[in-house]
């Protein structure tokens, strides 16, 4: 059946309501099973030995003493994970990150692993493994890593994206550039120009649940992997490739997920657990400690960004440019490229250029954090925009409205926008009561805009109708933010039945076709599209069965409000048949009734948000207090408004922590100094105000219901909105994130000295 994904416009019965979440009771009573909650008979405990050095050659690893320890069933090194990547550089980086081969590239890099009968024995075994290191010079700062004098992490890296290939290797893996127009001409027409440099420190997603898995490899080569992940199909693909297995022989089941935010889109310990199980011949459970999560799983990039923006006296921006340097950890990435693409995406610009540099450093492999790379770019750009508005003498909201992108605008990264929400979010912010509320002494208000692309991708869904009329919906996108409830609403909407009749489950990799990683805010967008398609396929069968039961042509049967109806006066004596009635007779009309859909969900629809923040700053200590926070964002169509509001609030809460407190602190030895929540401080309830939300709905023309992804955009504006608020409260421009009390106090004192 051909599926038309275009927005059609309709009135909704189920979509847009707020039913109770289906997983809520299990989660608050402890019945929900997360990654570490699964156990298998005879399982062993896995533990990983990690490098204590930021950069070191591995001369030799002696595991003989550990192998002889009573209770140890397997010990592995890189030799047990041979290179089967066939020249695939990205896959080789994953392999090398899972188990260091020639060099340890960061503090915490895995160098060996054991499987033993209990945790105590496993810990003892790690102490018996002898590693001979040659310690090398290291570099952890993104700017220092770009210097000619910096130690080179990988001498096979030559910067891509340059007109000529460099003759010398460096830590810069790629240069990317976006933009259009003539920035030199644009700056020549500017009456005011603001130029600033900004820096952001590395942060972690801060998910409460650590990485955990149970792996079991059988003697016949089949295997099972239970794991907390955002994409079990991708995990299956990567693990199978790294271990030389057929993908069909590896079944991966995703557990409940205790937070991911992009950090659980990469394999870290899973191939190691599988390799241990294969060698031991028994299941292996491997759970990272919090120390390991910080030291060895993916944080964000640290960044260094230069921004220059020019405008005329009337407030029209004439030119804008940014140079963005993003750390990638020790492996190539595309983080600076994403920053370069998103930096000026909110604005209508005739002349714009962004240049991004991907930089290797001796830190863990970088991973996504919600809208990866966009918050740092927005911090720099929106701070400069605020400062430029002040220079001109314009209200910062009016200045942004004047320059906001519109439908038909050529974006700074290339495509031309369709219907978008940046203008409406700015107008809503302008008219919000928050913007008019009075401020007290040492208090400041800031606002900022944010953008994210959103993605769709490969998606597969099954919808099965039971003989009692209940519906089972099997999806392959992991529920990271309430998608099971949202997709149940969509299925109920299409079928015309009650929400309570639908049960959505996340199927394992052997029960459903391939699904891409649940990232890019694609979960509800793509799976709702597939659910609509599957439901419509099921409705086609329901109509056929009703026609058979009535002995009428199927073309005379329509589906309305959960019933098959025979259209026409000649069928006036035929009572409508409900879905339950048709399902009850399915055994006599052709068997089970189901709808299936596999598609590539294109046209995800870009997303925009505007945030407002009030901050109080203590000028004597630099301490801050967030007084009020408001999120205005375009959802396209809010399928489950409560979940949408939760995504908005969650992004804002994480952004507040990122802006004010959170950062990786490395010592001179290149080792992480704060690998735990005691010293890496995420916000708690007492740090946060009640976060107000306003949902706007500008339909996405490429989705039947107008849905856009909402999970990532909400983390883009906070760094800038808070920085603008702190700058206004403290009377000095803040350019370094996080704005911890010592940094704020230092900035205030420097401003006082400069003013003397």
């Amino acid at each position: 059946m051909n599926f038309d994904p275009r927005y059609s416009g309709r009135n909704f019965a189920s979509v847009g309501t707020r039913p109770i979440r289906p997983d809520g009771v299990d989660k608050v009573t402890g019945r929900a099973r997360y990654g570490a909650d699964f156990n298998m008979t005879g399982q062993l405990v896995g533990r990983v030995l990690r490098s204590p050095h930021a950069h070191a050659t591995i001369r030799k690893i002696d595991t003989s003493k550990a192998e002889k320890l009573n209770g140890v069933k397997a010990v592995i090194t890189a030799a047990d994970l041979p290179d089967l990547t066939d020249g695939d550089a990205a896959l080789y980086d994953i392999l090398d990150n899972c188990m260091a081969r020639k060099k340890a590239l960061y503090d915490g890099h895995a160098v060996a692993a054991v499987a033993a009968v209990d945790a105590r024995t496993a810990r003892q075994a790690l102490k018996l493994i002898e590693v001979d290191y040659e310690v090398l010079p290291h570099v952890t700062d993104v700017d220092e890593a770009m210097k000619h004098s910096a130690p080179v992490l990988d001498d096979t890296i030559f910067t891509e994206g340059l007109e000529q290939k460099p003759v010398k290797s460096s830590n810069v893996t790629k240069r990317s550039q976006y933009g259009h127009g003539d920035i030199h001409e644009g700056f020549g027409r500017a009456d005011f120009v603001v130029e600033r440099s900004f820096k952001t420190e590395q942060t972690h997603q801060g998910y409460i649940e650590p990485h955990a898995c149970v792996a079991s490899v059988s003697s016949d080569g089949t295997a099972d992997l239970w794991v907390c992940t955002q994409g079990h199909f991708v995990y299956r693909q990567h693990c199978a490739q790294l271990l030389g297995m057929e993908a069909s022989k590896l079944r991966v089941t995703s557990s409940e997920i205790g937070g991911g935010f992009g950090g659980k889109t990469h394999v870290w310990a899973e191939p190691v657990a599988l390799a241990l199980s294969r060698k031991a011949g028994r299941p292996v459970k491997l759970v990272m400690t919090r120390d390991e999560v910080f030291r060895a799983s993916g944080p964000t990039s640290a960044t260094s960004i230069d921004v220059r923006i020019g405008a005329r006296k009337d407030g029209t921006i004439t030119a804008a440019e940014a140079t963005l340097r993003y750390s990638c950890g020790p492996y190539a990435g595309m983080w600076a490229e994403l920053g370069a693409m998103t930096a000026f995406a909110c604005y209508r610009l005739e002349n714009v250029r962004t240049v991004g540099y991907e930089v290797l450093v001796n830190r863990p492999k970088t991973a996504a954090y919600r809208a990866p790379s966009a918050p740092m770019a927005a911090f720099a750009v929106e701070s400069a925009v605020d400062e430029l508005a002040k220079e001109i003498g314009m209200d910062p909201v009016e200045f942004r409205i004047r320059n906001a992108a519109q439908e038909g605008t050529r974006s700074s990264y290339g495509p031309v926008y369709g219907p978008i929400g940046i203008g409406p979010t700015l107008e809503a912010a302008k008219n919000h009561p928050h913007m008019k509320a009075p401020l007290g002494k040492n208090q400041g208000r800031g606002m900022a805009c944010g953008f994210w692309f959103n993605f769709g991708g490969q998606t597969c869904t099954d919808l099965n109708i039971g003989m009692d009329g209940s519906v089972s919906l099997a999806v392959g996108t992991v529920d990271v933010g309430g998608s099971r409830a949202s997709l149940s609403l969509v299925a109920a909407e299409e079928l015309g039945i009650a929400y309570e009749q639908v049960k959505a489950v996340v199927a394992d990799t052997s029960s459903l076709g391939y699904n891409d990683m649940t990232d890019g805010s694609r979960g509800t967008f793509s799976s709702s599209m597939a659910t609509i398609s599957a439901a419509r396929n099921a409705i086609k069968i329901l109509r056929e069965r009703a026609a058979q039961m009535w002995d009428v042509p199927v073309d005379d049967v329509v589906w309305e409000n959960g019933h098959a109806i025979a259209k026409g006066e000649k069928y006036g004596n035929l009572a409508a048949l409900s879905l339950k009635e048709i399902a009850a007779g399915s055994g006599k009309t052709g068997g089970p009734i189901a709808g299936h859909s596999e598609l590539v969900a294109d046209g995800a629809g870009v997303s925009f948000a505007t945030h407002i923040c009030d901050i109080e700053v203590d000028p004597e200590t630099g301490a801050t207090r967030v007084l009020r926070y408001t999120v205005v964002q375009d959802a396209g169509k809010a399928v489950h408004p409560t979940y949408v509001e939760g995504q908005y609030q969650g992004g804002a809460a994480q952004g507040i922590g990122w802006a004010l407190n959170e950062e990786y602190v490395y010592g001179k030895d290149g080792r992480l100094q704060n690998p735990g929540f005691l010293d890496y401080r995420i916000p708690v309830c007492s740090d946060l105000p009640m976060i107000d939300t306003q949902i706007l709905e500008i339909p996405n023309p490429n989705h039947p219901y107008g849905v856009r992804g909402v999970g990532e955009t909400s983390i883009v504006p906070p760094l800038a909105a808070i920085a603008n608020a702190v700058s206004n409260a403290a009377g000095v421009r803040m350019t370094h994130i996080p704005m911890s009390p010592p940094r704020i106090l230092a900035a205030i004192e420097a401003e006082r000295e400069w003013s003397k």
Side-chain angles (χ1 to χ4, degrees), residues 230-231 233-234 236-237 455-461 475-478 512-519 522-523 525-527 529-530 597-602:
Q230 291 179 238
F233 289 90
V234 175
R236 177 186 66 173
Q237 178 181 326
F455 300 106
Q458 300 176 80
T459 312
C460 183
T461 298
V475 301
T477 46
V478 175
L512 196 64
Y514 180 84
N515 281 259
D516 279 331
M517 184 67 66
T518 308
D519 60 7
R522 69 174 294 270
F525 167 77
S526 62
S527 278
M529 190 179 289
S597 176
E598 59 279 318
L599 50 77
V600 176
D602 292 324

Side-chain angles (χ1 to χ4, degrees), residues 393-556:
M394 282 188 71
D395 177 82
V397 182
E398 293 291 352
F399 182 64
R400 287 172 171 87
I401 290 173
R402 183 176 187 84
N403 293 284
Q406 304 167 346
E407 183 173 358
T409 293
R410 183 184 178 188
S411 68
S412 57
Y413 63 97
V416 175
Y417 289 135
I420 56 174
I422 180 62
T425 66
L426 282 165
E427 291 289 349
K430 174 184 174 182
N431 296 316
H432 197 282
H434 183 171
M435 200 60 89
K436 302 174 178 64
L439 291 169
K441 185 180 180 181
N442 298 323
Q443 295 176 359
R445 176 166 298 138
M447 55 85 57
C449 301
F451 159 89
W452 187 242
F453 311 95
N454 293 333
F455 300 106
Q458 300 176 80
T459 312
C460 183
T461 298
D462 273 336
L463 186 149
N464 295 280
I465 300 174
M467 294 184 69
D468 62 353
S470 62
V471 174
S472 297
L473 182 65
V475 301
T477 46
V478 175
D479 187 350
V480 295
S483 61
R484 279 172 294 188
S486 297
L487 298 175
S488 295
L489 284 170
V490 170
E493 186 72 47
E494 281 295 316
L495 295 171
I497 59 176
Y499 164 81
E500 291 75 17
Q501 288 179 247
V502 184
K503 172 70 173 179
V505 297
V506 180
D508 65 60
T509 58
S510 294
S511 303
L512 196 64
Y514 180 84
N515 281 259
D516 279 331
M517 184 67 66
T518 308
D519 60 7
S521 299
R522 69 174 294 270
T524 297
F525 167 77
S526 62
S527 278
S528 67
M529 190 179 289
T531 298
I532 293 167
S533 174
R536 290 177 182 178
N537 289 337
I539 288 170
K540 180 176 182 293
I541 297 171
L542 288 164
R543 289 174 51 238
E544 291 170 351
R545 299 297 178 85
Q548 185 178 338
M549 293 168 72
W550 283 326
D551 193 22
V552 303
V554 69
D555 289 343
D556 290 345

Side-chain angles (χ1 to χ4, degrees), residues 9 389 567 681 752:
K567 282 291 187 181
R681 191 173 181 279
R752 287 172 182 164

